[in-house]
Amino acid sequence: METLHTADIPDADLQAAAPEPSGRRRARHLVSIDDLTDRELRRVVLRGAEFSAGTAGRSHALDGLVAGIYFAKTSTRTRTAFSSGALRLGARIIAYGPGDLQLNTGETTGDTGRVLSGMLDVLVARTAGPEAELRGWAAQDRMAVVNAMSAEEHPTQALTDLTTLLRHFGRIEGLRFLYVGEGNNTAAALALALTRFPSVHLELRTPPGYGLPPSVAARAQARAEAYGSVLVERHDMAALPAGFDVVYTTRWQTTGTSKPDANWREVFAPFQVTTGLWEASPRAVFMHDLPAHRGEEVTAEVLDGPMSIAFAQATNKMHSAMAVLEHSVAPAAARGSAVR
């Protein structure tokens, strides 16, 4: 794993990492990657890399604050990452399970958010439901709302992935990235994030009928054209280009979703990640958002092999979560420069 040096980061990124003028705390919602400006996106990723590298120093940015952790669906990494990250930053946490809130009795997300905003400083929520639910909670400016996974997008996973790329390569610009598998919420967030970095080549190979949603593909393509990156999506594994830096896949059976086609496994089978993909890209690293099913979307030889950085990526989820929490709720004066 390469050490991150300031010389490896473009001047524009260093400028973007500078602290904002001090001021009162205000909620910054993160429901979609699109809620982050370019400056904010780079600052959060750089700050996550700083936490990961152990160069962030001791942060008390959330001292005296209260974080709500609401998970309506199962979670190992994301729930632990935000709970541990909030505690390390000095917050107290209140954890909610799927049966704990009055949402189950018909209360609206807007009413729930309005009430919780008088008691919490941030709410981290995984619903696997529509993004509109999270927007309902975010219809106030006192409590920050962080999307820990909705049906449409998994923005905090993308931030974890960018943090991991920055830690490993020392840069994001110019990387060649191969994503294999369903165009799910992880793929959507990655497409919307990676295309905002110049000279990135993002190749998606998704099963027919399981590609990126058209609206996401259109937004990501527009970003690619604006930022000088490349986005390609195909629905087969033929004629893959060579020289990828990263090969990435996700679990075929995503949390909270089901496949309309009873024979979907036959459609997905050609998209399994095997060591054969490394013949044309021998120096590529392997990434996976986990949990993984060895023998389905990836073979054990890849996931547990020397090319895999999937478990370092999982650890970076906590470091990225800390950066997200700082961005979302900390006073501007408490958020130091992401690169010193």
Side-chain angles (χ1 to χ4, degrees):
M1 181 173 289
E2 298 184 9
T3 302
L4 176 63
H5 300 287
T6 56
D8 297 321
I9 304 170
D11 291 342
D13 282 356
L14 290 174
Q15 183 178 2
E20 296 176 347
S22 60
R24 71 175 184 87
R25 181 180 63 80
R26 62 183 178 86
R28 291 181 175 88
H29 304 304
L30 178 56
V31 178
S32 166
I33 282 290
D34 286 349
D35 290 334
L36 296 171
T37 65
D38 288 350
R39 180 183 184 214
E40 290 169 339
L41 174 63
R42 283 160 172 75
R43 187 173 61 235
V44 169
V45 172
L46 288 168
R47 185 63 170 158
E50 196 175 53
F51 278 121
S52 177
T55 59
R58 178 66 176 168
S59 174
H60 300 275
L62 272 65
D63 276 357
L65 303 184
V66 181
I69 310 291
Y70 171 63
F71 277 71
K73 298 293 181 179
T74 57
S75 174
T76 297
R77 280 149 291 276
T78 306
R79 180 170 180 171
T80 305
F82 274 99
S83 298
S84 178
L87 289 169
R88 290 170 187 265
L89 293 174
R92 297 178 182 271
I93 64 172
I94 301 174
Y96 306 100
D100 291 340
L101 298 178
Q102 294 289 2
L103 294 167
N104 291 332
T105 66
E107 185 172 36
T108 67
T109 55
D111 286 351
T112 302
R114 185 175 179 181
V115 170
L116 292 180
S117 70
M119 307 177 194
L120 301 176
D121 298 288
V122 58
L123 177 67
V124 180
R126 167 172 291 189
T127 67
E131 184 179 297
E133 293 179 348
L134 292 139
R135 294 291 179 196
W137 279 315
Q140 42 72 40
D141 62 2
R142 298 173 62 184
M143 175 187 72
V145 174
V146 175
N147 177 5
M149 192 179 78
S150 65
E152 295 94 338
E153 197 178 325
H154 197 349
T156 60
Q157 181 63 53
L159 293 170
T160 294
D161 299 337
L162 295 180
T163 295
T164 302
L165 293 173
L166 190 56
R167 283 284 286 126
H168 187 84
F169 294 102
R171 62 186 172 88
I172 298 172
E173 291 78 3
L175 292 178
R176 293 177 57 80
F177 196 101
L178 171 63
Y179 176 93
V180 180
E182 186 174 12
N184 56 21
N185 45 24
T186 291
L190 273 171
L192 293 172
L194 280 171
T195 50
R196 289 165 69 172
F197 289 83
S199 301
V200 164
H201 180 106
L202 173 58
E203 183 109 5
L204 298 106
R205 295 301 179 101
T206 57
Y210 295 92
L212 287 176
S215 61
V216 172
R219 286 157 58 196
Q221 189 62 56
R223 281 160 178 71
E225 294 172 3
Y227 289 83
S229 57
V230 175
L231 174 68
V232 177
E233 183 176 16
R234 286 183 52 179
H235 304 299
D236 58 55
M237 293 297 288
L240 273 173
F244 286 108
D245 299 296
V246 182
V247 177
Y248 192 117
T249 195
T250 67
R251 185 178 175 181
W252 284 349
Q253 193 73 299
T254 306
T255 300
T257 65
S258 60
K259 305 289 191 293
D261 180 5
N263 299 318
W264 66 267
R265 289 184 184 277
E266 297 177 11
V267 178
F268 275 65
F271 296 84
Q272 184 185 67
V273 173
T274 70
T275 54
L277 291 180
W278 272 259
E279 293 178 4
S281 301
R283 304 182 70 176
V285 298
F286 173 69
M287 295 175 67
H288 192 304
D289 58 356
L290 302 179
H293 281 187
R294 293 167 177 83
E296 289 195 354
E297 74 274 7
V298 62
T299 62
E301 290 80 6
V302 172
L303 180 63
D304 302 315
M307 68 283 283
S308 177
I309 60 171
F311 291 93
Q313 177 187 357
T315 300
N316 279 334
K317 183 158 278 192
M318 181 188 71
H319 305 306
S320 181
M322 293 171 72
V324 167
L325 289 168
E326 277 194 345
H327 164 78
S328 297
V329 303
R335 295 192 309 276
S337 172
V339 177
R340 292 185 174 85

